[in-house]
Amino acid sequence: MTTDQILAFAMIAAMMAAFIVDRFRYDLVACCALVMSVAIGVVPAKEAFSGFSNDIVIIVGSALVVSAGVARSGIVDVAIKRFFPDLRGVGTQLALLLVVVAVLSAFIKNIGALAIMMPVAMQFARKTGVPVSRYLMPMAFAALLGGLMTQIGTSPNIVVSQIREEMTGQSFTMFDFTPVGGLLAVIGCLFLIFFHRILPDRVRQTSAPQEAMDIASYACEATVPADSPLPGKPLSDLVKPGDGEVVATTVLRGHKRMAPFPDLTLKTGDTVLITGNPAALDRVVSQGKLKLPGAQLAEDGKSTSGIMSIEAVVSRDSRLAGLSARDLALSYNHAVNLIALSRHGQRIGERLGELPLETGDVIVLQGRAPALAAMVQDFGLLPLAEREVLLGTHRRAAIPLAILAAAMAATAFGLAPVSVSFFTAALAMVLFGAVPAGDVYKSVDGPILVMLAALIPVSDSLRTTGASDIVAGWLGTVATGMSPYGALALILITAMAVTPFLNNAATVLVMGPIAASFATTLDFRPEAFLMAVAIGAGCDFLTPIGHQCNTLVMGPGGYRFSDYPRLGLPLSFLVILVSVPALMMVWPVS
């Protein structure tokens, strides 16, 4: 080996060790690896930042924004409640969740698909009285399996497509991954449905700081407008989307106060005082098309995308204490609406606008960011921990779906590259108000994008120094006398073994060139081997740190590190047994 090859191996080994130790954030590790690689000469200085212009970074960032738009729309939750309103058994609920997550993961970022469905899983868990751990890890694994089905489903598929294009001049197409990926998704989901009981029941031990500040119950005042589907229907239909977490306390009809009997027939103009947690209230308000109190903050025909909601506490020194929203004319003088209120130990039975506020009240204010900021400062309010409050925000479910469908069609029919299609889709999500402009950079996972951009030139040093050819030669020596099946399985298992310690995209960046050189050494076509790398990198079922989906469910599910291999190891063996012959059939090596 040459000095540059030894240094390239040493740098990759040191970087992997740093990822495993996990004392520093992964983006910092990647950036340090990039700087050191430039310093020792294995990455040319002029190529140091080439990763930031790479299509992979654009695609991943754009996909996260698109996922955020779909998640905010609430369309998945609405669809499940409309078409599957009476699912009660854990098995049927889990089957539905796994299928939906897997299908969504084929078309949007798998962590985005998982994030969309996690609230639904938590609702199911509350309904059935079982720990949410029964649902979350199988859903995370289903998201990984679903991502295998299309080119944009997961980062490894995008990376191997680029590697093939560099090698042969032809990239994998959108649905080249579907035959093998779809088979793995179906078999994997069936395994998870029937064998999820391998997992022990877990209960979350600790809560995030934001959850410690969650308000259990808000009071909200909602009016039934003419375009609502509720006039003529019983009051029970209004609170039904709340899944038992929303209670109607009073119905006001003109000057009459009416008891909230479930069979009370609603009329246009009725005002209903409802109590519940913010997420459940949001479902009731959005699905019933109810009108919240306060003035209209956007003129007809004007964008509502800048209107948001925040939580704040009325402090001891606040000027709001002792005054009501009507006294202050909040809507007209300050362009802010008071839309919900929580008062510890009390059930609110009065109109919010007429209720004098007290020290310690937690309120939800609606308005544009500058008006809300001025309100908090001028009136001495204490904003709660930063978390998204969707109650009172304007959302149009059809727009995110139309944008996603257009991006998918443009990619599938070759009208535009994946990077252009999804960058345009992300931009459209902002322009049409599906994602507020102020939330765009919250949706983009900055550390992941920086890590990808930094790792691209570092991992490419294995190719430019010839180190990947040496590893391919070593693997070729090991594979001497092996059948094509054995050689393909060797690459797949190697990728699976590496991906728990590296990000899955980073695994492909390291293993892709090695697999291509390995195939060339054995005089095989490279496609099946590149596909094997993508599958191995996309199927990290063994640790909570190898993929964001696994990390995302660890806290809410209360899982331990050892729980992942308990369910993930047999699933990994199943993936190997199914994918090797399937790849040989779909992508012959000779």
Side-chain angles (χ1 to χ4, degrees), residues 177-194:
F177 299 85
T178 305
V180 179
L183 178 64
L184 290 174
V186 170
I187 292 176
C189 286
L190 287 174
F191 169 83
L192 293 169
I193 291 169
F194 289 107

Side-chain angles (χ1 to χ4, degrees), residues 379-401:
F379 287 89
L381 301 176
L382 302 176
L384 282 183
E386 183 177 347
R387 65 186 177 112
E388 188 173 39
V389 182
L390 294 179
L391 179 64
T393 58
H394 182 76
R395 285 162 286 161
R396 291 169 287 182
I399 289 178
L401 290 182

